[in-house]
Amino acid sequence: MRVEIWSDIACPWCYVGKARFEKALGEFPHRDDVEVVHRSFELDPGRAKDDIQPVLTMLTKKYGMSQAQAEAGEDNLGAQAEAEGLPYRTRGRDHGATFDMHRLLHFARTQGRQVELLDLLYRANFAEERSVFGDDARLLELVTTAGLDTDAARAVLADPDAYAAEVREDQREAAELGARGVPFFVLDRTYGVSGAQPAEVFTQALTQAWGERSPLKIVDGDAEACGPDGCAVPQS
């Protein structure tokens, strides 16, 4: 079974939702037969790379919150993250474009290191002081820590077209599937789970999707075939 997760590094609920999903998956009896693929979704598509601002400022301007409301929201997110064992800085973070991060995540997927880089990006954005926005040197440090080739990643960042089509295709598919926000989990292209649901909801979705997988339909006939007991040989 395949589970696809659309998310954005700038999305705190994606950070929390990933932990909740992984908790459910870790207890799922068929977890070794579940393939997890992370897909791209930009909360601010088209945002300029140098357009960086404090998270609290972004919240007050974009959503019309008061400063007190924005701070309360961040405090709530911090508590939700802490409940999942995740570090979270409720003050002093900033917000910016994530397009380059998504391109690097697609590059990392080709090298089998996507999850490692994703986890590092989340932690750097939500728990560490140094910003991940507008700082290629910072991104390259994380790439190297994830076990990827630094020069190859530098070449990706230097070429704005590298993996850009893959990011946009992910976002097109998300829209096609009806995703209006992230995190968005799709199980075998049959079930969709929206938001950072409790682990119990993910457990239920995994169980239901696994049980309702379509069995292989066999088109039988008289054609010859080989099996454990040998090959059927036409008799003259």
Side-chain angles (χ1 to χ4, degrees), residues 124-173:
N125 183 39
F126 292 109
E128 298 176 3
E129 290 189 17
R130 184 175 171 187
S131 177
V132 294
F133 299 105
D135 186 349
D136 285 358
R138 177 62 169 145
L139 293 181
L140 290 173
E141 287 177 6
L142 297 172
V143 161
T144 303
T145 303
L148 292 156
D149 183 85
T150 308
D151 289 337
R154 184 179 290 107
V156 170
L157 289 175
D159 179 2
D161 292 329
Y163 299 99
E166 287 84 346
V167 175
R168 295 187 180 107
E169 176 61 17
D170 277 358
Q171 296 182 148
R172 185 197 65 77
E173 285 194 62

Side-chain angles (χ1 to χ4, degrees), residues 6-214:
W6 274 265
S7 59
D8 192 10
I9 303 303
C11 166
W13 289 117
C14 296
Y15 180 49
V16 173
K18 180 176 181 291
R20 292 175 177 173
F21 170 77
E22 288 176 347
K23 179 180 178 181
L25 182 62
E27 298 172 355
F28 186 57
H30 307 289
R31 59 185 175 274
D32 292 339
D33 296 310
V34 177
E35 177 193 11
V36 179
V37 177
H38 293 276
R39 298 204 178 278
S40 299
F41 190 104
E42 292 175 276
L43 292 176
D44 285 326
R47 188 184 186 103
K49 187 171 181 174
D50 60 355
D51 184 3
I52 303 166
Q53 62 185 159
V55 166
L56 292 175
T57 301
M58 180 274 294
L59 292 172
T60 58
K61 290 184 176 180
K62 185 172 183 178
Y63 300 106
M65 295 180 176
S66 67
Q67 182 75 13
Q69 287 173 324
E71 290 178 354
E74 281 295 284
D75 290 341
N76 175 56
L77 278 161
Q80 298 275 351
E82 183 179 3
E84 303 303 328
L86 300 172
Y88 190 97
R89 296 177 65 231
T90 60
R91 300 292 185 273
R93 294 190 304 107
D94 56 16
H95 178 81
T98 56
F99 188 62
D100 281 350
M101 297 180 213
H102 286 297
R103 295 196 300 119
L104 286 173
L105 285 167
H106 274 280
F107 162 67
R109 185 182 175 192
T110 68
Q111 306 299 308
R113 308 294 293 178
Q114 186 185 50
V115 174
E116 289 82 357
L117 181 57
L118 180 62
D119 285 341
L120 286 167
L121 287 168
Y122 273 142
R123 187 179 185 90
N125 183 39
F126 292 109
E128 298 176 3
E129 290 189 17
R130 184 175 171 187
S131 177
V132 294
F133 299 105
D135 186 349
D136 285 358
R138 177 62 169 145
L139 293 181
L140 290 173
E141 287 177 6
L142 297 172
V143 161
T144 303
T145 303
L148 292 156
D149 183 85
T150 308
D151 289 337
R154 184 179 290 107
V156 170
L157 289 175
D159 179 2
D161 292 329
Y163 299 99
E166 287 84 346
V167 175
R168 295 187 180 107
E169 176 61 17
D170 277 358
Q171 296 182 148
R172 185 197 65 77
E173 285 194 62
E176 192 175 81
L177 290 167
R180 293 181 176 83
V182 286
F184 187 64
F185 303 77
V186 176
L187 290 72
D188 264 358
R189 291 293 171 112
T190 302
Y191 290 94
V193 179
S194 181
Q197 300 288 347
E200 294 77 14
V201 173
F202 289 120
T203 297
Q204 181 182 358
L206 286 166
T207 301
Q208 188 168 350
W210 182 269
E212 295 184 15
R213 289 175 304 147
S214 299

Side-chain angles (χ1 to χ4, degrees), residues 198-236:
E200 294 77 14
V201 173
F202 289 120
T203 297
Q204 181 182 358
L206 286 166
T207 301
Q208 188 168 350
W210 182 269
E212 295 184 15
R213 289 175 304 147
S214 299
L216 185 66
K217 294 178 174 61
I218 305 296
V219 178
D220 209 350
D222 297 327
E224 292 80 7
C226 296
D229 299 323
C231 298
V233 179
Q235 302 297 313
S236 57

